[in-house]
Amino acid sequence: LGEQVTINLQQAIQAYVNLDVESALQVIKQDESINDEFDNISRLLITKMMEDPREIKNALRITWCARALERIGDHAKNVSEYIVYLVKGKDVRHSSLAEIKATLEKA
């Protein structure tokens, strides 16, 4: 999760520097895999807590860290959505990747 978020954040920053819509779209697409990884970690930790209640405190700490990383990924996605708006003039917030691509193809 940490590696994925780091790569996504770096790509979002690079997309902003270059005003690169294609890179911004890649960041938006990768956010789905970051969310999936967060869900997997959450499920794993819940299972761990049910198996051994003594591990609840540690599992919660890991959960909070994973949640923070997931939020950083969301912020990178938000930056990328603003890049699309800045370059193309299209507000793509709250849209799926397919809707974003369709909107950009019309322009």
Side-chain angles (χ1 to χ4, degrees), residues 43-55:
R43 273 198 267 357
L44 179 71
L45 290 170
I46 289 169
T47 302
K48 181 84 170 160
M49 288 187 281
M50 289 188 319
E51 289 174 355
D52 187 1
R54 294 173 296 179
E55 291 295 321

Side-chain angles (χ1 to χ4, degrees), residues 25-61:
L25 291 176
Q26 275 300 110
V27 172
I28 293 168
K29 180 180 178 184
Q30 284 301 110
D31 186 60
E32 293 175 17
S33 70
I34 289 172
N35 293 338
D36 291 342
E37 185 65 26
F38 173 72
D39 291 340
N40 290 338
I41 290 170
S42 295
R43 273 198 267 357
L44 179 71
L45 290 170
I46 289 169
T47 302
K48 181 84 170 160
M49 288 187 281
M50 289 188 319
E51 289 174 355
D52 187 1
R54 294 173 296 179
E55 291 295 321
I56 290 174
K57 188 175 184 178
N58 291 329
L60 286 175
R61 287 179 179 150

Side-chain angles (χ1 to χ4, degrees), residues 77-78 81-82 91-97 99-100:
K77 178 184 175 191
N78 293 344
E81 291 170 342
Y82 284 120
D91 186 3
V92 296
R93 295 174 298 162
H94 315 295
S95 302
S96 70
L97 189 60
E99 292 170 337
I100 293 170

